[in-house]
Amino acid sequence: MEKRERLGSRIGFIMLSAGCAIGCGNVWKFPWMTGQYGGGGFVLIYILCLLILGLPVMTMEFAVGRASQASPVRMYQKLQKPGQKWGFMGAICLLANFALMAFYTVVTGWIIYYFVQFLTGATADLGFVPMITNPGVNVTYLAVTVVVAFIILSFNLQGGLERVTKYMMSALLVLMLVLTVNSLTLEGAKEGIKFYLVPDFSKINGQVIVGAMNQAFFTLSLGIGSMAIFGSYMDKERSLMGESINVICLDTFVAIVAGLIMFPACFTYGVEVNAGPSLLFDTMASVFNNMNGGRWWGTLFFLFMVFAAMSTVLAVCENILAMVRELTGWKRPGACAVCGIAVFAFALTTALGYSKFSFQPFAEGSAWLDFWDFIVSTNALPIGAFVLAIFCCTKFGWGWDNFIAEANAGNGLKVQPWMKPIMKYLVPVVVIGLYIYGLATFAW
């Protein structure tokens, strides 16, 4: 049996876990959802969802990963009691990670394309619709994303993924602060920040709450084992609630700062905040085209976006790789080649979904991207979080005592006895209730 790989440092673990959490969810999806759901009220509910739901579920996922010393495809089986049948969740985790990469790698390709266009100064005809309807651009940049990711992952854990992510995350945080200072000096900064951070309670409804929960799980990559794999690479020196708080704080900082970069710019240049998925692309491109030195600010902005998106692609592809290697016994390089081809094939649906391979799964205008996002965000993440809570906190699964022993091993913040009713009852009830409401009100 090959010895399980380990991360070289605690900072490596935090940067890697945060890198998985920080990505398109923070800098692409969070700002456009905030714009569509009315600004400050959505941000407030989102932060509450992170604290009440995200923190307990992340602690559970790290605990299951560290205790099992296995990838998500085997972790439930290894921890279940005799006669229990939790192994089905392993297959769901594997499929859900593939479904996530089926659209995430394409969005990352779009970001790399915008970065290249700004870097070369070819921004005159840049637009979201021309880009997504161009099959050549989509397939080329999807290929770039997948090839770069799996080349990095073909090296060992410390030499490849951990080293690259530490540098990328450090650069990401520096770039964000530079861009924020620039945005806060714009004319519309005050109006933009008011829309973004001052809640309008009249705009909060059931759909806003469901959207905030789904976004909290999406941004933290919770429920499908994406965090559990990094738990399995940890030693027992630190307790898991404290580490979860570190990751969530870093993730939330990046999401909030992404809005501070974008909304002052939106209000300064009079662009729609509720533009949806194109907000990042059309809005920010028009902002930079109108700004002094805009080409270079745009290059910096999309470079930061590339780092954010690639950190998640690397982390989730590492998860897929670990699961496939555990099932097959393959070495890293061979598994990278097979997994890379499989991810690319899945993602071709999204890459060609606006041109050669159109498919309208839901309301008019929906496409493959919406289908994969529905599979992951609306279904797999909340169902996975619900299952984790039942598995960790009840006698039907691993059980509360086993979970607590694992989560509280090491130095740092511990799960307290008063938290048991929150984790055992509140989390699963709220998650399943919002999940059912979300399906009932979904724009079919």
Side-chain angles (χ1 to χ4, degrees), residues 354-378:
Y354 298 95
S355 53
K356 305 280 187 192
F357 197 24
S358 62
F359 166 54
Q360 194 163 286
F362 310 120
E364 194 177 342
S366 60
W368 274 102
L369 187 148
D370 305 284
F371 172 75
W372 292 120
D373 188 37
F374 172 76
I375 297 290
V376 176
S377 303
T378 310

Side-chain angles (χ1 to χ4, degrees), residues 266-295:
C266 289
F267 279 83
T268 301
Y269 296 103
V271 283
E272 286 295 321
V273 292
N274 60 354
S278 66
L279 177 70
L280 170 75
F281 298 98
D282 279 347
T283 301
M284 296 316 287
S286 65
V287 164
F288 293 126
N289 283 335
N290 284 307
M291 187 186 281
N292 287 334
R295 174 184 167 188

Side-chain angles (χ1 to χ4, degrees), residues 111-176:
I111 292 166
I112 296 171
Y113 171 71
Y114 261 65
F115 165 67
V116 169
Q117 297 307 98
F118 270 95
L119 185 64
T120 56
T123 58
D125 301 319
L126 204 53
F128 184 67
V129 173
M131 173 182 68
I132 64 172
T133 51
N134 183 328
V137 164
N138 277 265
V139 174
T140 301
Y141 283 90
L142 164 64
V144 168
T145 303
V146 173
V147 168
V148 168
F150 282 99
I151 285 175
I152 291 169
L153 293 175
S154 66
F155 296 96
N156 66 38
L157 190 65
Q158 289 184 28
L161 181 60
E162 184 177 357
R163 179 188 290 175
V164 170
T165 304
K166 274 199 282 195
Y167 287 128
M168 277 201 331
M169 293 301 295
S170 303
L172 171 76
L173 296 171
V174 172
L175 281 173
M176 289 202 79

Side-chain angles (χ1 to χ4, degrees), residues 284-356:
M284 296 316 287
S286 65
V287 164
F288 293 126
N289 283 335
N290 284 307
M291 187 186 281
N292 287 334
R295 174 184 167 188
W296 300 114
W297 283 113
T299 304
L300 270 185
F301 177 78
F302 284 103
L303 177 63
F304 132 65
M305 292 291 307
V306 168
F307 285 164
M310 279 305 294
S311 65
T312 303
V313 170
L314 285 167
V316 177
C317 287
E318 168 65 26
N319 202 14
I320 291 171
L321 196 60
M323 288 191 266
V324 169
R325 288 181 69 202
E326 205 158 280
L327 289 171
T328 60
W330 294 341
K331 300 282 187 203
R332 248 182 201 274
C336 279
V338 173
C339 291
I341 291 165
V343 167
F344 181 76
F346 265 87
L348 275 177
T349 55
T350 307
L352 300 174
Y354 298 95
S355 53
K356 305 280 187 192

Side-chain angles (χ1 to χ4, degrees), residues 54 69 74 82 97 152 158 172 194 199 203 213 237 248-250 257 301 305 311 348 363-364 372 401 407 423 432:
Q69 288 294 291
R74 290 262 196 261
N97 277 273
I152 291 169
Q158 289 184 28
L172 171 76
K194 185 181 175 188
K203 292 182 178 173
M213 176 189 78
E237 283 180 18
I248 288 172
C249 285
L250 203 48
V257 172
F301 177 78
M305 292 291 307
S311 65
L348 275 177
E364 194 177 342
W372 292 120
D401 292 341
M423 292 187 165
I432 206 70

Side-chain angles (χ1 to χ4, degrees), residues 34 37-45 194-200 204:
T34 301
Y37 284 122
F42 175 80
V43 175
L44 176 66
I45 301 294
K194 185 181 175 188
F195 167 80
Y196 179 43
L197 297 180
V198 178
D200 179 348
I204 297 175

Side-chain angles (χ1 to χ4, degrees), residues 28-256:
W28 167 63
K29 198 172 181 187
F30 175 71
W32 72 251
M33 285 190 78
T34 301
Q36 284 203 326
Y37 284 122
F42 175 80
V43 175
L44 176 66
I45 301 294
Y46 166 73
I47 290 171
L48 289 173
C49 285
L50 288 175
L51 290 172
I52 297 166
L53 304 175
L55 178 57
V57 174
M58 181 175 278
T59 306
M60 291 174 202
E61 197 163 308
F62 280 149
V64 169
R66 190 167 74 173
S68 67
Q69 288 294 291
S71 79
V73 81
R74 290 262 196 261
M75 66 188 186
Y76 285 97
Q77 275 174 304
K78 286 189 80 169
L79 298 180
Q80 68 187 10
K81 293 167 188 159
Q84 292 181 340
K85 296 196 168 23
W86 288 88
F88 72 94
M89 270 308 293
I92 289 175
C93 286
L94 180 58
L95 292 171
N97 277 273
F98 268 112
L100 176 57
M101 286 298 98
F103 70 93
Y104 208 104
T105 48
V106 177
V107 176
T108 303
W110 295 343
I111 292 166
I112 296 171
Y113 171 71
Y114 261 65
F115 165 67
V116 169
Q117 297 307 98
F118 270 95
L119 185 64
T120 56
T123 58
D125 301 319
L126 204 53
F128 184 67
V129 173
M131 173 182 68
I132 64 172
T133 51
N134 183 328
V137 164
N138 277 265
V139 174
T140 301
Y141 283 90
L142 164 64
V144 168
T145 303
V146 173
V147 168
V148 168
F150 282 99
I151 285 175
I152 291 169
L153 293 175
S154 66
F155 296 96
N156 66 38
L157 190 65
Q158 289 184 28
L161 181 60
E162 184 177 357
R163 179 188 290 175
V164 170
T165 304
K166 274 199 282 195
Y167 287 128
M168 277 201 331
M169 293 301 295
S170 303
L172 171 76
L173 296 171
V174 172
L175 281 173
M176 289 202 79
L177 292 172
V178 171
L179 288 160
T180 305
V181 170
N182 178 63
S183 267
L184 294 178
T185 61
L186 298 174
E187 281 175 36
K190 190 175 174 185
E191 256 185 292
I193 288 170
K194 185 181 175 188
F195 167 80
Y196 179 43
L197 297 180
V198 178
D200 179 348
F201 292 101
S202 67
K203 292 182 178 173
I204 297 175
N205 56 30
Q207 284 179 303
V208 169
I209 297 169
V210 171
M213 176 189 78
N214 289 346
Q215 176 58 17
F217 289 146
F218 183 86
T219 189
L220 296 174
S221 306
L222 290 178
I224 57 173
S226 299
M227 285 296 166
I229 192 65
F230 301 119
S232 79
Y233 295 146
M234 281 175 81
D235 55 35
K236 296 204 187 244
E237 283 180 18
R238 305 291 306 184
S239 61
L240 296 175
M241 181 161 257
E243 301 301 81
S244 299
I245 288 171
N246 289 332
V247 172
I248 288 172
C249 285
L250 203 48
D251 176 78
T252 308
F253 171 78
V254 172
I256 297 297

